[in-house]
Amino acid sequence: MTLGIEREVFGVPVEAVLEILDMQPVFRVPEAPAYMLGLIDLRGRSVPVLDLRIKLGLPSVPPTETTRILVLEVEVSGRPLVLGLVADRVFEVMALGQHEIEPAPDIGVRWRSDYIRGVGHRDARFVILFDLPKLFATDGVIIADPPKQAVA
């Protein structure tokens, strides 16, 4: 699945995508990292939502009519993690063969290259492929689903 941030095109494995949602109000979580916008309710389930722009070190921008939340399920440290990722826009499903993927570059990019699994290219188009478990970990701390609280 390809998505856009500014002029760049990124890719996430289509099998990780559970849903694509229009932007919606997000419940802010006190003292959360800047890239964590907060939580959304997805059919009774609290889903943490991250601003991909901030996570990549880019400035935040107000949502537009093309802003989307990709709800992803990623296995991190042996357990599934469901979270939302805000992107400027979502494009299409694009299949890339192994011969179309190169290793991540060590220099010349504006974001941390350890978030990148590789760079795909086809017909003079480049797609930066995320390493999702690394993207969702911060300084060795994994973003976890919020604890379930009993309500009295």
Side-chain angles (χ1 to χ4, degrees):
M1 172 75 53
T2 55
L3 55 111
I5 299 290
E6 286 191 352
R7 295 176 309 223
E8 309 296 339
V9 178
F10 296 93
V12 297
V14 70
E15 62 270 10
V17 179
L18 298 177
E19 296 194 43
I20 301 170
L21 307 172
D22 290 336
M23 192 60 188
Q24 57 186 272
V26 178
F27 174 76
R28 297 282 308 163
V29 176
E31 299 184 35
Y35 58 82
M36 182 156 167
L37 293 177
L39 303 171
I40 60 169
D41 177 30
L42 185 62
R43 290 182 295 286
R45 180 178 192 171
S46 297
V47 175
V49 176
L50 283 64
D51 186 328
L52 185 54
R53 290 176 142 275
I54 295 173
K55 185 72 174 166
L56 296 175
L58 300 171
S60 181
V61 296
T64 69
E65 68 272 357
T66 63
T67 302
R68 299 289 181 265
I69 299 174
L70 273 78
V71 179
L72 306 172
E73 182 172 46
V74 179
E75 188 168 311
V76 180
S77 297
R79 70 183 193 103
L81 175 67
V82 175
L83 48 78
L85 196 61
V86 175
D88 293 349
R89 61 201 163 283
V90 173
F91 295 116
E92 63 186 338
V93 173
M94 172 191 286
L96 290 171
Q98 279 304 116
H99 67 282
E100 298 173 295
I101 301 173
E102 298 176 359
D106 289 329
I107 59 171
V109 293
R110 297 183 294 173
W111 46 85
R112 291 176 42 179
S113 62
D114 58 334
Y115 293 162
I116 302 171
R117 184 172 57 97
V119 177
H121 56 89
R122 180 187 301 149
D123 303 327
R125 291 177 50 192
F126 289 94
V127 178
I128 299 153
L129 304 172
F130 283 124
D131 184 326
L132 292 177
K134 289 183 181 175
L135 180 66
F136 299 136
T138 304
D139 302 323
V141 177
I142 297 168
I143 298 167
D145 287 325
K148 295 190 176 32
Q149 302 266 338
V151 178

